[in-house]
Amino acid sequence: MEQVDAGLLSGEDGDSVVLDLSAYNLYLLMTGEVTRSSGAVRGFRTIQIFNTGTTFSRQNLAASTNAGVTLTSDTTGRTLTVTPSSTSYDVYYALYAVM
């Protein structure tokens, strides 16, 4: 596995990141969401992403009941946008290429 991208997105600042999914076929995206005011864990998830170039699919491998992140894929399946779901949350993320 190779780390492709990682960082912290501020909900208060309206941060988002567009992840390029065109270089590999199989990815793992991990997120951890925290409540800004207290630093408490809001939620977390791990998502498997499969992109063959003609088809795009994603599914949760693990997900908490609460979430503080919004994931939006483009129509071609070549990018995935990660955004905190509220100004109340910050999101830590890491994208790994598996193959």
Side-chain angles (χ1 to χ4, degrees):
M1 270 194 336
E2 174 185 336
Q3 186 177 40
V4 176
D5 201 342
L8 169 64
L9 304 172
S10 168
E12 184 177 53
D13 295 338
D15 291 347
S16 66
V17 65
V18 178
L19 302 173
D20 181 0
L21 304 175
S22 63
Y24 300 94
N25 296 108
L26 188 60
Y27 295 89
L28 291 178
L29 173 64
M30 295 179 217
T31 66
E33 304 95 42
V34 296
T35 303
R36 292 182 55 79
S37 60
S38 65
V41 173
R42 168 70 180 168
F44 53 86
R45 66 185 61 229
T46 301
I47 297 169
Q48 176 180 338
I49 301 164
F50 187 53
N51 187 359
T52 65
T54 56
T55 60
F56 173 85
S57 183
R58 75 178 200 218
Q59 71 175 5
N60 285 332
L61 295 178
S64 62
T65 324
N66 294 327
V69 65
T70 301
L71 303 171
T72 309
S73 37
D74 73 352
T75 55
T76 66
R78 294 292 189 177
T79 65
L80 183 69
T81 303
V82 181
T83 309
S85 63
S86 165
T87 57
S88 300
Y89 309 124
D90 287 342
V91 174
Y92 294 86
Y93 71 94
L95 178 68
Y96 294 89
V98 179
M99 64 179 289

Coordinates of all heavy atoms in Angstrom, one line a residue:
M1 N 0.8 -1.2 0.0 CA 0.0 0.0 0.0 C 0.9 1.2 0.0 O 1.9 1.3 0.6 CB -0.9 0.0 1.2 CG -2.2 -0.7 1.0 SD -3.5 -0.4 2.2 CE -2.8 0.0 3.7
E2 N 0.4 2.2 -0.7 CA 1.1 3.5 -0.8 C 0.2 4.7 -0.4 O -0.9 4.8 -0.9 CB 1.6 3.7 -2.2 CG 2.2 5.0 -2.5 CD 2.6 5.1 -4.0 OE1 2.7 4.1 -4.7 OE2 2.7 6.3 -4.5
Q3 N 0.6 5.5 0.5 CA -0.2 6.7 0.9 C -0.1 7.7 -0.3 O 0.9 8.1 -0.8 CB 0.3 7.4 2.1 CG -0.6 8.5 2.6 CD -0.1 9.1 3.9 OE1 1.0 9.3 4.1 NE2 -1.1 9.4 4.7
V4 N -1.3 8.1 -0.8 CA -1.5 9.0 -1.9 C -1.7 10.4 -1.5 O -1.2 11.3 -2.0 CB -2.6 8.5 -2.8 CG1 -2.8 9.5 -4.0 CG2 -2.4 7.1 -3.4
D5 N -2.5 10.6 -0.4 CA -2.8 11.9 0.1 C -3.3 11.8 1.5 O -3.8 10.7 2.0 CB -4.0 12.5 -0.7 CG -4.1 14.0 -0.7 OD1 -3.5 14.6 0.3 OD2 -4.7 14.6 -1.5
A6 N -3.1 12.8 2.3 CA -3.5 12.9 3.7 C -3.6 14.3 4.1 O -2.9 15.2 3.6 CB -2.6 12.1 4.6
G7 N -4.4 14.6 5.2 CA -4.4 15.9 5.7 C -5.5 16.1 6.7 O -6.2 15.2 7.1
L8 N -5.7 17.4 7.0 CA -6.8 17.9 7.9 C -7.6 18.9 7.2 O -7.1 19.9 6.7 CB -6.1 18.5 9.2 CG -7.1 19.2 10.2 CD1 -8.1 18.2 10.8 CD2 -6.2 19.9 11.3
L9 N -8.9 18.7 7.3 CA -9.9 19.7 6.7 C -10.6 20.4 7.8 O -11.2 19.8 8.6 CB -10.8 19.0 5.8 CG -10.2 18.1 4.6 CD1 -11.3 17.3 3.9 CD2 -9.5 19.0 3.7
S10 N -10.6 21.7 7.8 CA -11.3 22.5 8.8 C -12.7 22.8 8.3 O -12.9 23.4 7.3 CB -10.5 23.8 9.0 OG -11.3 24.7 9.7
G11 N -13.7 22.4 9.1 CA -15.1 22.7 8.9 C -15.3 24.2 9.0 O -16.1 24.8 8.2
E12 N -14.7 24.8 9.9 CA -14.9 26.3 10.2 C -14.4 27.1 9.0 O -15.0 28.1 8.6 CB -14.1 26.7 11.4 CG -14.4 28.1 11.8 CD -13.7 28.5 13.1 OE1 -12.4 28.3 13.2 OE2 -14.4 29.0 13.9
D13 N -13.4 26.6 8.3 CA -12.8 27.4 7.2 C -13.4 26.9 5.8 O -13.1 27.5 4.8 CB -11.3 27.2 7.1 CG -10.6 27.8 8.3 OD1 -11.1 28.7 8.9 OD2 -9.4 27.3 8.6
G14 N -14.3 25.9 5.9 CA -15.0 25.5 4.6 C -14.0 24.7 3.7 O -14.2 24.6 2.5
D15 N -13.0 24.0 4.3 CA -12.1 23.3 3.6 C -12.7 22.1 2.9 O -13.7 21.5 3.4 CB -10.9 22.7 4.5 CG -10.0 23.8 5.0 OD1 -10.1 24.9 4.5 OD2 -9.2 23.5 5.9
S16 N -12.1 21.7 1.8 CA -12.5 20.4 1.1 C -11.2 20.0 0.3 O -10.3 20.8 0.1 CB -13.7 20.5 0.2 OG -13.4 21.4 -0.9
V17 N -11.2 18.7 -0.1 CA -10.1 18.3 -0.9 C -10.7 17.4 -2.0 O -11.7 16.7 -1.8 CB -9.1 17.5 -0.1 CG1 -9.6 16.2 0.5 CG2 -7.8 17.2 -1.0
V18 N -10.2 17.5 -3.2 CA -10.6 16.7 -4.4 C -9.5 15.6 -4.6 O -8.3 16.0 -4.9 CB -10.8 17.5 -5.7 CG1 -11.2 16.6 -6.8 CG2 -11.9 18.6 -5.4
L19 N -9.8 14.4 -4.3 CA -8.9 13.3 -4.5 C -8.9 12.7 -5.9 O -10.0 12.3 -6.4 CB -9.2 12.2 -3.4 CG -9.1 12.7 -2.0 CD1 -9.6 11.6 -1.1 CD2 -7.8 13.1 -1.6
D20 N -7.8 12.6 -6.5 CA -7.7 12.0 -7.9 C -7.6 10.5 -7.7 O -6.7 10.0 -7.1 CB -6.4 12.6 -8.5 CG -6.2 12.0 -9.9 OD1 -7.1 11.2 -10.4 OD2 -5.2 12.4 -10.6
L21 N -8.6 9.8 -8.4 CA -8.6 8.4 -8.3 C -8.3 7.7 -9.6 O -8.7 6.6 -9.9 CB -10.0 7.9 -7.8 CG -10.5 8.5 -6.5 CD1 -12.0 8.1 -6.3 CD2 -9.6 8.1 -5.4
S22 N -7.6 8.4 -10.5 CA -7.3 7.9 -11.8 C -6.1 7.0 -12.0 O -5.9 6.3 -13.0 CB -7.3 9.0 -12.8 OG -6.3 9.9 -12.5
A23 N -5.1 7.1 -11.0 CA -3.8 6.5 -11.2 C -3.8 5.0 -10.8 O -3.0 4.2 -11.4 CB -2.8 7.2 -10.4
Y24 N -4.7 4.6 -9.9 CA -4.7 3.2 -9.5 C -6.2 2.6 -9.6 O -7.1 3.4 -9.9 CB -4.3 3.1 -8.0 CG -2.9 3.6 -7.8 CD1 -2.6 4.9 -7.4 CD2 -1.8 2.8 -8.0 CE1 -1.3 5.4 -7.2 CE2 -0.5 3.2 -7.8 CZ -0.3 4.6 -7.4 OH 1.0 5.0 -7.2
N25 N -6.3 1.3 -9.3 CA -7.6 0.7 -9.4 C -8.3 0.5 -8.1 O -9.5 0.6 -8.0 CB -7.5 -0.7 -10.1 CG -7.0 -0.6 -11.5 OD1 -5.9 -0.9 -11.8 ND2 -7.9 0.0 -12.4
L26 N -7.5 0.3 -7.0 CA -8.1 0.0 -5.7 C -7.5 0.9 -4.7 O -6.3 1.0 -4.5 CB -7.8 -1.5 -5.3 CG -8.5 -2.1 -4.1 CD1 -10.0 -2.0 -4.2 CD2 -8.1 -3.5 -3.9
Y27 N -8.4 1.5 -3.9 CA -8.0 2.5 -2.9 C -8.7 2.2 -1.5 O -9.8 1.6 -1.5 CB -8.4 3.9 -3.3 CG -7.8 4.5 -4.5 CD1 -8.3 4.3 -5.7 CD2 -6.6 5.3 -4.4 CE1 -7.7 4.9 -6.9 CE2 -6.0 5.8 -5.5 CZ -6.6 5.6 -6.7 OH -6.0 6.2 -7.8
L28 N -8.1 2.7 -0.5 CA -8.7 2.7 0.8 C -8.7 4.2 1.3 O -7.6 4.8 1.3 CB -8.0 1.9 1.9 CG -8.1 0.4 1.7 CD1 -7.2 -0.3 2.8 CD2 -9.5 -0.1 1.7
L29 N -9.8 4.7 1.7 CA -9.9 6.1 2.3 C -10.3 5.9 3.7 O -11.4 5.3 4.0 CB -10.9 6.9 1.5 CG -11.2 8.3 2.1 CD1 -10.0 9.2 2.0 CD2 -12.4 8.9 1.3
M30 N -9.6 6.5 4.6 CA -9.9 6.5 6.0 C -10.1 7.9 6.5 O -9.4 8.9 6.1 CB -8.8 5.9 6.8 CG -8.5 4.5 6.5 SD -7.2 3.9 7.5 CE -6.4 2.8 6.3
T31 N -11.2 8.2 7.2 CA -11.5 9.5 7.8 C -11.8 9.4 9.3 O -12.3 8.3 9.8 CB -12.7 10.1 7.1 OG1 -13.9 9.4 7.4 CG2 -12.5 10.3 5.6
G32 N -11.4 10.4 10.0 CA -11.7 10.6 11.4 C -12.3 12.0 11.6 O -11.6 12.9 11.1
E33 N -13.4 12.1 12.2 CA -14.1 13.4 12.3 C -14.1 13.8 13.8 O -14.5 12.9 14.6 CB -15.5 13.4 11.7 CG -15.5 12.9 10.3 CD -15.8 11.5 10.1 OE1 -16.7 10.9 10.8 OE2 -15.2 10.9 9.2
V34 N -13.8 15.0 14.1 CA -13.8 15.5 15.5 C -14.7 16.7 15.6 O -14.8 17.5 14.7 CB -12.4 15.8 16.0 CG1 -11.5 14.6 16.0 CG2 -11.7 16.9 15.2
T35 N -15.3 16.9 16.8 CA -16.1 18.1 17.1 C -15.1 19.2 17.4 O -14.3 19.0 18.3 CB -17.0 17.8 18.2 OG1 -17.9 16.7 17.9 CG2 -17.9 19.0 18.5
R36 N -15.2 20.3 16.7 CA -14.3 21.4 16.9 C -14.3 22.0 18.3 O -13.2 22.2 18.9 CB -14.6 22.5 15.9 CG -14.3 22.2 14.5 CD -14.6 23.4 13.6 NE -13.8 24.6 14.0 CZ -12.6 24.8 13.7 NH1 -11.9 23.9 13.0 NH2 -12.0 25.9 14.1
S37 N -15.4 22.1 18.9 CA -15.5 22.8 20.2 C -14.9 22.0 21.4 O -14.4 22.6 22.3 CB -17.0 23.1 20.5 OG -17.8 21.9 20.6
S38 N -15.0 20.7 21.3 CA -14.5 19.8 22.4 C -13.3 18.9 22.0 O -12.7 18.4 22.9 CB -15.7 18.9 22.9 OG -16.0 18.0 21.9
G39 N -13.1 18.7 20.7 CA -12.0 17.8 20.3 C -12.5 16.3 20.4 O -11.7 15.4 20.2
A40 N -13.7 16.1 20.8 CA -14.3 14.7 20.9 C -14.4 14.1 19.5 O -14.7 14.8 18.5 CB -15.6 14.8 21.6
V41 N -14.3 12.8 19.5 CA -14.5 12.0 18.3 C -15.9 12.1 17.9 O -16.8 11.7 18.7 CB -14.0 10.6 18.4 CG1 -14.4 9.7 17.2 CG2 -12.5 10.5 18.7
R42 N -16.2 12.5 16.7 CA -17.6 12.5 16.1 C -17.9 11.2 15.4 O -18.9 10.7 15.5 CB -17.7 13.7 15.2 CG -19.0 13.8 14.4 CD -20.2 14.0 15.2 NE -21.4 14.0 14.3 CZ -22.6 14.0 14.8 NH1 -22.8 14.0 16.1 NH2 -23.6 14.0 14.0
G43 N -16.9 10.8 14.6 CA -17.1 9.6 13.8 C -15.9 9.2 13.1 O -14.9 9.9 13.1
F44 N -16.0 8.1 12.3 CA -14.9 7.6 11.6 C -15.4 6.6 10.5 O -16.5 6.1 10.6 CB -13.8 6.9 12.5 CG -14.4 5.8 13.3 CD1 -14.6 4.5 12.8 CD2 -14.9 6.1 14.6 CE1 -15.2 3.5 13.6 CE2 -15.5 5.1 15.4 CZ -15.6 3.8 14.9
R45 N -14.6 6.3 9.5 CA -14.9 5.4 8.5 C -13.7 4.9 7.7 O -12.7 5.6 7.6 CB -16.0 5.9 7.6 CG -15.6 7.0 6.7 CD -16.8 7.6 5.9 NE -17.8 8.1 6.8 CZ -19.1 7.8 6.7 NH1 -19.5 7.1 5.7 NH2 -20.0 8.3 7.5
T46 N -13.9 3.8 7.1 CA -12.9 3.3 6.1 C -13.7 2.9 4.9 O -14.7 2.1 5.0 CB -12.1 2.1 6.6 OG1 -11.4 2.5 7.8 CG2 -11.1 1.7 5.6
I47 N -13.3 3.4 3.7 CA -14.1 3.1 2.5 C -13.2 2.5 1.5 O -12.0 2.9 1.3 CB -14.6 4.4 1.9 CG1 -15.6 5.1 2.9 CG2 -15.3 4.2 0.5 CD1 -15.9 6.5 2.5
Q48 N -13.7 1.4 0.8 CA -13.0 0.8 -0.3 C -13.5 1.4 -1.6 O -14.7 1.5 -1.7 CB -13.3 -0.7 -0.3 CG -12.7 -1.5 -1.4 CD -13.0 -3.0 -1.3 OE1 -13.4 -3.5 -0.3 NE2 -13.0 -3.6 -2.5
I49 N -12.6 1.8 -2.4 CA -12.9 2.4 -3.7 C -12.3 1.5 -4.8 O -11.1 1.2 -4.8 CB -12.4 3.8 -3.8 CG1 -13.0 4.7 -2.7 CG2 -12.8 4.4 -5.2 CD1 -12.3 6.0 -2.4
F50 N -13.1 1.1 -5.8 CA -12.6 0.4 -6.9 C -13.0 1.1 -8.2 O -14.1 1.5 -8.5 CB -13.3 -1.0 -6.9 CG -12.7 -1.9 -8.0 CD1 -11.4 -2.2 -8.0 CD2 -13.6 -2.6 -8.9 CE1 -10.8 -3.0 -9.0 CE2 -13.0 -3.4 -9.8 CZ -11.7 -3.7 -9.9
N51 N -11.9 1.4 -9.0 CA -12.1 2.1 -10.2 C -11.3 1.4 -11.3 O -10.1 1.3 -11.3 CB -11.5 3.5 -10.0 CG -11.8 4.4 -11.2 OD1 -12.4 4.0 -12.2 ND2 -11.3 5.7 -11.1
T52 N -12.1 0.9 -12.3 CA -11.5 0.2 -13.4 C -11.2 1.1 -14.6 O -10.6 0.7 -15.6 CB -12.4 -1.0 -13.9 OG1 -13.6 -0.4 -14.4 CG2 -12.7 -1.9 -12.8
G53 N -11.6 2.3 -14.5 CA -11.5 3.2 -15.7 C -12.8 3.4 -16.4 O -13.1 4.4 -17.0
T54 N -13.7 2.3 -16.3 CA -15.0 2.4 -16.9 C -16.1 2.3 -15.9 O -17.2 2.7 -16.1 CB -15.2 1.3 -18.0 OG1 -14.9 0.0 -17.4 CG2 -14.3 1.5 -19.2
T55 N -15.8 1.7 -14.7 CA -16.7 1.6 -13.7 C -16.1 2.1 -12.4 O -14.9 2.0 -12.2 CB -17.2 0.1 -13.4 OG1 -16.1 -0.7 -13.1 CG2 -17.9 -0.4 -14.6
F56 N -16.9 2.6 -11.5 CA -16.5 3.2 -10.2 C -17.5 2.7 -9.2 O -18.7 2.7 -9.3 CB -16.5 4.7 -10.3 CG -16.3 5.4 -9.0 CD1 -15.0 5.6 -8.6 CD2 -17.3 5.8 -8.2 CE1 -14.7 6.3 -7.4 CE2 -17.0 6.4 -7.0 CZ -15.7 6.7 -6.6
S57 N -16.9 2.2 -8.1 CA -17.7 1.7 -7.0 C -17.1 1.9 -5.7 O -15.8 1.9 -5.6 CB -18.0 0.2 -7.2 OG -18.8 -0.3 -6.2
R58 N -17.9 2.2 -4.6 CA -17.3 2.4 -3.3 C -18.2 1.8 -2.3 O -19.5 1.8 -2.5 CB -17.0 3.9 -3.0 CG -18.2 4.7 -2.8 CD -17.8 6.1 -2.4 NE -18.9 6.8 -1.7 CZ -19.3 8.0 -1.9 NH1 -18.6 8.8 -2.8 NH2 -20.3 8.5 -1.2
Q59 N -17.7 1.4 -1.2 CA -18.5 0.8 -0.1 C -17.7 1.0 1.2 O -16.5 1.1 1.3 CB -18.8 -0.6 -0.3 CG -17.6 -1.6 -0.1 CD -18.0 -3.0 -0.2 OE1 -19.1 -3.4 -0.5 NE2 -17.0 -3.9 0.0
N60 N -18.5 1.1 2.3 CA -17.9 1.3 3.6 C -17.4 -0.1 4.1 O -18.1 -1.1 4.0 CB -19.0 1.7 4.6 CG -19.3 3.2 4.5 OD1 -18.5 4.0 4.1 ND2 -20.5 3.5 4.9
L61 N -16.2 -0.1 4.5 CA -15.6 -1.3 5.2 C -15.9 -1.2 6.7 O -16.2 -2.2 7.3 CB -14.1 -1.4 5.0 CG -13.7 -1.6 3.5 CD1 -12.2 -1.7 3.4 CD2 -14.3 -2.9 3.0
A62 N -15.9 0.0 7.2 CA -16.3 0.3 8.6 C -16.8 1.7 8.7 O -16.3 2.6 8.0 CB -15.0 0.1 9.5
A63 N -17.8 1.9 9.5 CA -18.4 3.3 9.6 C -19.1 3.4 11.0 O -19.8 2.5 11.4 CB -19.3 3.6 8.5
S64 N -18.8 4.5 11.7 CA -19.5 4.7 12.9 C -20.9 5.2 12.7 O -21.2 5.5 11.5 CB -18.7 5.7 13.7 OG -18.7 7.0 13.0
T65 N -21.7 5.2 13.7 CA -23.1 5.7 13.5 C -23.1 7.1 13.2 O -23.9 7.6 12.3 CB -23.8 5.5 14.9 OG1 -23.4 4.3 15.5 CG2 -25.3 5.3 14.6
N66 N -22.3 7.9 13.8 CA -22.2 9.4 13.5 C -21.2 9.6 12.4 O -20.2 8.9 12.4 CB -21.8 10.2 14.8 CG -22.9 10.1 15.8 OD1 -24.1 10.0 15.5 ND2 -22.5 10.1 17.1
A67 N -21.4 10.6 11.7 CA -20.4 11.0 10.7 C -20.3 12.5 10.6 O -21.3 13.2 10.8 CB -20.8 10.5 9.3
G68 N -19.2 13.0 10.3 CA -19.0 14.5 10.2 C -18.4 14.8 8.9 O -17.7 15.8 8.7
V69 N -18.5 13.9 7.9 CA -17.9 14.1 6.6 C -18.9 13.8 5.5 O -19.8 13.0 5.6 CB -16.6 13.2 6.5 CG1 -17.0 11.7 6.5 CG2 -15.8 13.5 5.3
T70 N -18.7 14.6 4.4 CA -19.5 14.3 3.2 C -18.5 13.9 2.0 O -17.5 14.6 1.8 CB -20.2 15.6 2.7 OG1 -21.1 16.0 3.8 CG2 -21.1 15.4 1.5
L71 N -18.9 12.8 1.3 CA -18.1 12.3 0.2 C -18.9 12.4 -1.1 O -20.0 11.9 -1.1 CB -17.7 10.9 0.5 CG -17.0 10.6 1.8 CD1 -16.9 9.1 2.0 CD2 -15.6 11.2 1.8
T72 N -18.3 13.1 -2.1 CA -19.0 13.3 -3.3 C -18.1 12.9 -4.5 O -17.0 13.4 -4.6 CB -19.4 14.8 -3.5 OG1 -20.1 15.2 -2.3 CG2 -20.3 15.0 -4.7
S73 N -18.6 11.9 -5.3 CA -17.8 11.5 -6.5 C -18.3 12.3 -7.7 O -19.5 12.6 -7.8 CB -17.8 10.0 -6.7 OG -19.1 9.5 -6.4
D74 N -17.4 12.5 -8.6 CA -17.8 13.2 -9.9 C -18.5 12.1 -10.8 O -18.5 11.0 -10.5 CB -16.7 13.9 -10.6 CG -15.7 12.9 -11.2 OD1 -15.8 11.7 -11.0 OD2 -14.8 13.4 -11.9
T75 N -19.1 12.6 -11.9 CA -19.8 11.7 -12.7 C -19.0 10.7 -13.4 O -19.5 9.6 -13.8 CB -20.6 12.5 -13.8 OG1 -19.7 13.3 -14.5 CG2 -21.7 13.4 -13.1
T76 N -17.7 10.9 -13.6 CA -16.8 10.0 -14.3 C -16.2 9.0 -13.3 O -15.6 8.0 -13.7 CB -15.7 10.7 -15.0 OG1 -14.8 11.3 -14.0 CG2 -16.2 11.7 -16.0
G77 N -16.3 9.3 -12.0 CA -15.7 8.4 -11.0 C -14.2 8.6 -10.9 O -13.5 7.7 -10.3
R78 N -13.7 9.6 -11.4 CA -12.2 9.9 -11.4 C -11.8 10.7 -10.2 O -10.6 10.7 -9.9 CB -11.8 10.6 -12.7 CG -12.0 9.8 -13.9 CD -11.0 8.6 -13.9 NE -11.0 7.9 -15.2 CZ -10.3 6.9 -15.4 NH1 -9.4 6.4 -14.5 NH2 -10.3 6.3 -16.6
T79 N -12.7 11.4 -9.5 CA -12.4 12.1 -8.3 C -13.4 11.9 -7.3 O -14.5 11.6 -7.5 CB -12.3 13.6 -8.6 OG1 -13.5 14.1 -9.0 CG2 -11.2 13.9 -9.7
L80 N -13.0 12.2 -6.0 CA -13.8 12.1 -4.9 C -13.5 13.3 -4.0 O -12.4 13.6 -3.7 CB -13.5 10.8 -4.1 CG -14.4 10.6 -2.9 CD1 -15.9 10.2 -3.3 CD2 -13.9 9.4 -2.0
T81 N -14.6 14.1 -3.7 CA -14.4 15.3 -2.9 C -14.8 14.9 -1.4 O -15.8 14.4 -1.2 CB -15.3 16.4 -3.4 OG1 -15.0 16.7 -4.8 CG2 -15.1 17.7 -2.6
V82 N -13.9 15.3 -0.5 CA -14.1 15.1 0.9 C -14.3 16.5 1.5 O -13.4 17.4 1.4 CB -12.8 14.4 1.5 CG1 -13.1 14.1 3.0 CG2 -12.5 13.1 0.8
T83 N -15.4 16.6 2.3 CA -15.7 17.9 2.9 C -16.3 17.6 4.3 O -17.1 16.7 4.5 CB -16.8 18.6 2.1 OG1 -16.4 18.7 0.7 CG2 -17.1 20.0 2.6
P84 N -15.9 18.4 5.3 CA -16.6 18.3 6.6 C -18.1 18.6 6.4 O -18.4 19.5 5.6 CB -15.9 19.4 7.4 CG -14.6 19.5 6.8 CD -14.8 19.4 5.4
S85 N -19.0 17.9 7.1 CA -20.4 18.1 6.8 C -21.0 19.3 7.6 O -22.1 19.6 7.3 CB -21.2 16.8 7.2 OG -21.0 16.6 8.6
S86 N -20.2 19.9 8.4 CA -20.7 21.1 9.1 C -19.4 21.9 9.6 O -18.3 21.4 9.6 CB -21.4 20.6 10.4 OG -21.6 21.6 11.3
T87 N -19.7 23.2 9.9 CA -18.6 24.0 10.4 C -18.2 23.6 11.8 O -17.2 24.0 12.3 CB -19.1 25.5 10.4 OG1 -20.2 25.6 11.2 CG2 -19.3 26.0 9.0
S88 N -19.0 22.7 12.4 CA -18.7 22.2 13.7 C -17.7 21.1 13.8 O -17.2 20.7 14.8 CB -20.0 21.7 14.4 OG -20.9 22.7 14.5
Y89 N -17.3 20.5 12.6 CA -16.4 19.3 12.5 C -15.1 19.6 11.7 O -15.2 20.3 10.7 CB -17.1 18.1 11.9 CG -18.5 17.9 12.5 CD1 -19.6 17.8 11.8 CD2 -18.6 17.7 13.9 CE1 -20.8 17.5 12.3 CE2 -19.8 17.4 14.5 CZ -20.9 17.4 13.7 OH -22.2 17.1 14.3
D90 N -14.1 19.0 12.2 CA -12.8 18.9 11.4 C -12.7 17.4 11.0 O -13.1 16.5 11.7 CB -11.6 19.3 12.2 CG -11.5 20.8 12.5 OD1 -12.2 21.5 11.7 OD2 -10.8 21.2 13.4
V91 N -12.1 17.2 9.8 CA -11.9 15.9 9.3 C -10.4 15.6 9.0 O -9.8 16.3 8.3 CB -12.7 15.7 8.0 CG1 -12.5 14.3 7.3 CG2 -14.2 15.9 8.2
Y92 N -9.9 14.5 9.6 CA -8.6 14.0 9.2 C -8.9 12.9 8.2 O -9.8 12.1 8.3 CB -8.0 13.3 10.4 CG -7.6 14.3 11.5 CD1 -8.5 14.7 12.5 CD2 -6.3 14.9 11.6 CE1 -8.2 15.6 13.5 CE2 -6.0 15.8 12.6 CZ -6.9 16.2 13.5 OH -6.6 17.1 14.5
Y93 N -8.1 12.9 7.1 CA -8.3 11.9 6.1 C -6.9 11.3 5.6 O -5.9 12.0 5.7 CB -9.0 12.4 4.9 CG -8.2 13.4 4.1 CD1 -7.5 13.0 2.9 CD2 -8.1 14.8 4.4 CE1 -6.7 13.9 2.2 CE2 -7.4 15.6 3.7 CZ -6.7 15.2 2.6 OH -5.9 16.1 1.9
A94 N -6.9 10.1 5.1 CA -5.8 9.5 4.5 C -6.3 8.6 3.3 O -7.2 7.8 3.6 CB -4.9 8.7 5.5
L95 N -5.7 8.8 2.2 CA -6.0 7.9 1.0 C -4.8 7.1 0.7 O -3.7 7.6 0.5 CB -6.4 8.8 -0.2 CG -6.7 8.1 -1.5 CD1 -8.0 7.3 -1.4 CD2 -6.8 9.1 -2.7
Y96 N -5.1 5.8 0.5 CA -4.0 4.8 0.2 C -4.4 4.1 -1.1 O -5.5 3.7 -1.3 CB -3.9 3.8 1.3 CG -3.4 4.3 2.6 CD1 -4.3 4.8 3.6 CD2 -2.0 4.4 2.9 CE1 -3.9 5.4 4.8 CE2 -1.6 4.9 4.1 CZ -2.5 5.4 5.0 OH -2.1 6.0 6.2
A97 N -3.4 3.9 -2.0 CA -3.5 3.1 -3.1 C -3.1 1.7 -2.8 O -2.1 1.5 -2.2 CB -2.7 3.6 -4.3
V98 N -4.0 0.7 -3.1 CA -3.7 -0.7 -2.8 C -3.1 -1.3 -4.0 O -2.1 -2.1 -3.9 CB -5.0 -1.4 -2.4 CG1 -4.7 -2.9 -2.1 CG2 -5.6 -0.7 -1.1
M99 N -3.6 -1.0 -5.2 CA -3.1 -1.6 -6.5 C -3.5 -0.7 -7.7 O -4.4 0.0 -7.7 CB -3.5 -3.0 -6.7 CG -5.0 -3.2 -6.9 SD -5.5 -4.9 -7.2 CE -4.9 -5.2 -8.8

